[in-house]
């Protein structure tokens, strides 16, 4: 989001440029009182630009960091939710601080977030698809080994374990009154 930083502070940059142009129209040789007033206005506009640029940089840097963390964080609901809530808080802070271009900045953030979440969904689907072809004799022995490791104080948790099924899916197909019934339903598989 650092690439969108100028959009957030355009209003303050414009105000500084306006003050400089206003001062360029005058001859300051004999107008010390007006010069002091002009310098005060210009310094106020410059300080506002500097402060807002620093805040916008901090918010943009933090949002970039959160987006990068979303790419690699464990696929646990709480991790994803916390990072998205933090991004929402950044957008709220930008909006509350009267930055210019927040809707555009937010639209760019939403596009990046959507791409990241789609990539993570692909990871989830790929992991789920891999579990469909499991050899259940091997899976049962691996689950037992992991349980033994946990009992002995070992880690036992792999990044791939979130996709691992604990038991195979068995369907019962019955025909009642010329109606085919599958238990559990295919959607639950």
């Amino acid at each position: 989001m650092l690439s969108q930083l100028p959009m957030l502070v355009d209003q303050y940059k414009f105000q500084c440029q306006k003050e400089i142009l206003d001062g360029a129209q005058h001859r300051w040789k004999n107008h010390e009182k007006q010069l002091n007033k002009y310098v005060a206005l210009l310094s106020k506009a410059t300080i506002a630009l500097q402060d807002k640029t620093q805040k916008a940089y901090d918010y943009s840097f933090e949002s970039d960091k959160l987006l990068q963390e979303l790419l690699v964080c464990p696929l646990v609901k709480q991790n994803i939710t916390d990072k998205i809530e933090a991004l929402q808080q950044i957008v709220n802070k930008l909006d509350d601080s009267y930055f210019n271009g927040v809707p555009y900045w937010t639209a760019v953030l939403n596009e990046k977030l959507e791409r990241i979440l789609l990539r993570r969904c692909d990871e989830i689907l790929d992991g789920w698809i891999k579990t469909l072809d499991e050899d259940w004799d091997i899976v049962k022995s691996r689950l037992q080994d992991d349980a033994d490791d946990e009992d002995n104080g070992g880690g036992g948790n792999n990044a791939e374990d979130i996709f691992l099924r604990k038991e195979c899916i068995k369907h019962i197909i019955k025909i009642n009154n010329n109606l085919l019934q599958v238990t559990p339903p295919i959607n639950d598989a």
Side-chain angles (χ1 to χ4, degrees), residues 1-10 52-53 56-57 60 105:
M1 299 307 302
L2 287 174
S3 61
Q4 305 306 317
L5 182 64
M7 177 66 64
L8 294 173
V9 294
D10 273 349
K52 290 295 185 174
T53 302
Y57 174 82
S60 295
W105 190 89

Side-chain angles (χ1 to χ4, degrees), residues 103-117:
Y104 177 75
W105 190 89
T106 305
V108 172
L109 175 66
N110 286 341
E111 288 175 17
K112 288 182 177 187
L113 185 59
E114 182 179 2
R115 279 185 268 145
I116 289 170
L117 292 176

Side-chain angles (χ1 to χ4, degrees), residues 131 134 139 142-143 146 160-166:
T131 66
E134 291 285 343
V139 171
R142 186 167 48 170
L143 287 173
D146 287 348
E160 296 176 8
D161 285 350
I162 61 172
F163 303 113
L164 186 63
R165 289 202 201 135
K166 305 302 181 208

Side-chain angles (χ1 to χ4, degrees), residues 118 164 178:
L118 285 172
L164 186 63
N178 291 329

